[in-house]
Amino acid sequence: MHIHIENASSLMPVFIVRPDQYEKALARHPDVAGRIRTTWGKDGDIYAREARTADAMITYRFPHQSLAQDAPNLKLLQILGAGVDYLLPLDWVPPGVTVLTNSGAHVPKASQSALMALLMLNARLPELNWSQRNREWNRIFTSTLEGRTLLIVGVGAIGAGAAKYAKEFGMTVLGIRRSAQPQPHVDEMHGPDALHALLPRADFVLANTALTPETHFMFGSKEFGLMRKGAGFVNMSRGGLVDPAALDEALRGGQLSGAVIDVTYPEPPPKDWPYWETPNLLITPHVLSDDIENYVPRTLDLFFNNIRSHFEGKPLTNRVDLDRAY
């Protein structure tokens, strides 16, 4: 099997596959290593030549619209990310090509970051930070997370990891997932239609669902208005899930006591983005889920496990459902 790795120098290092990482992954999967050959490209330097014979590709940024013509033998396309919203619509995916994400690679770091955000919101750190910026000695005393209620909207791998930490801190966890299937660390699991009924019950809401045309701006004025007054909000998934004007309004009006967002709409936001100065809002630049040391190694393990399953005719994990667009 010919595997082509297509890197892009414009990406941050966490999204670039290094040869040393790849060699270590091959050593962890020797049965797969003996049945593949690998080519390395960067910024399209040898893409046209190697894509013609590639059976599988590992990449993040590539000329997807011409993939059918560029890579006629391609069977597996491993995306270096958990979401494919930046590639929508998926009408460019050639017949016979399975698109794979690295869902699960983020879990340890993202779960800890979700816990960090909950602790920050519970301690009212966004508001305390805003008071510091305004040179105000604003003493706010709070309690612990124990007994609080968390609503996780999108209980996938990361959501499940966040739920585990929340339960360890004594929280009640409500969850929403498309299948509504139970999860061990979620006290109540519901389908997407239950969002509005669950929002008033939560002290904190964690948005962790995929961005699709159906979930665009799923959190707007109505949703924030349904939340408990003084609740906290976290978005570590995709900026397009949240109407930034509605979030700004909810924070300025005191409906929410604070919010932590690792993603924005648009992303990155321009210098004149009006929500840089939203009170009680902490913004991090899409860094809370990606582990600089382990992101690519975990992705490669997922990929090589799928290569093994492909050789053995077994089902693959992390397949993108082209109809659901994630």
Side-chain angles (χ1 to χ4, degrees), residues 14-223:
V14 71
F15 301 113
I16 296 175
V17 181
R18 302 195 314 264
D20 63 304
Q21 295 169 323
Y22 195 76
E23 291 300 322
K24 290 177 181 178
L26 291 176
R28 293 193 297 271
H29 303 270
D31 57 320
V32 174
R35 302 180 63 180
I36 64 175
R37 70 178 183 92
T38 306
T39 54
W40 294 75
K42 183 175 71 173
D43 300 334
D45 55 352
I46 59 171
Y47 178 81
R49 183 184 74 220
E50 300 301 338
R52 283 200 299 269
T53 58
D55 301 291
M57 192 181 305
I58 304 173
T59 186
Y60 185 91
R61 189 164 292 161
F62 62 104
H64 58 279
Q65 293 294 351
S66 60
L67 186 66
Q69 295 75 39
D70 297 339
N73 296 327
L74 196 68
K75 303 174 186 68
L76 302 175
L77 177 63
Q78 175 68 63
I79 300 298
L80 283 166
V84 293
D85 47 282
Y86 74 106
L87 296 170
L88 295 180
L90 298 176
D91 53 4
W92 53 267
V93 179
V97 173
T98 298
V99 182
L100 305 167
T101 71
N102 68 352
S103 178
H106 305 72
V107 171
K109 174 70 182 295
S111 301
Q112 291 184 19
S113 293
L115 173 62
M116 176 186 69
L118 292 173
L119 289 167
M120 292 171 69
L121 287 171
N122 190 62
R124 304 282 288 274
L125 280 183
E127 185 173 351
L128 292 172
N129 180 66
W130 184 254
S131 297
Q132 176 189 342
R133 291 176 60 184
N134 291 313
R135 303 183 182 186
E136 297 174 353
W137 191 250
N138 182 20
R139 302 179 75 195
I140 301 172
F141 296 94
T142 59
S143 187
T144 66
L145 284 175
E146 187 175 8
R148 305 281 188 177
T149 297
L150 168 65
L151 170 60
I152 302 176
V153 183
V155 186
I158 294 174
K164 180 177 183 294
Y165 279 124
K167 292 302 297 179
E168 290 175 355
F169 276 73
M171 302 185 75
T172 296
V173 181
L174 311 176
I176 290 177
R177 67 193 307 186
R178 181 183 288 270
S179 68
Q181 291 297 311
Q183 204 282 333
H185 304 293
V186 175
D187 296 291
E188 295 180 28
M189 188 69 78
H190 300 264
D193 291 344
L195 175 64
H196 288 174
L198 295 176
L199 285 171
R201 298 174 55 189
D203 297 295
F204 305 100
V205 174
L206 170 62
N208 196 58
T209 194
L211 177 61
T212 68
E214 290 72 31
T215 61
H216 179 73
F217 280 12
M218 69 180 298
F219 288 97
S221 295
K222 181 176 182 178
E223 288 70 30

Side-chain angles (χ1 to χ4, degrees), residues 233-254:
F233 181 77
V234 183
N235 184 13
M236 291 173 48
S237 185
R238 291 293 186 267
L241 297 174
V242 179
D243 178 351
L247 180 59
D248 176 83
E249 179 185 21
L251 288 165
R252 290 185 184 277

Side-chain angles (χ1 to χ4, degrees), residues 252-264:
R252 290 185 184 277
Q255 175 63 18
L256 301 182
S257 62
V260 177
I261 60 172
D262 189 47
V263 286
T264 63

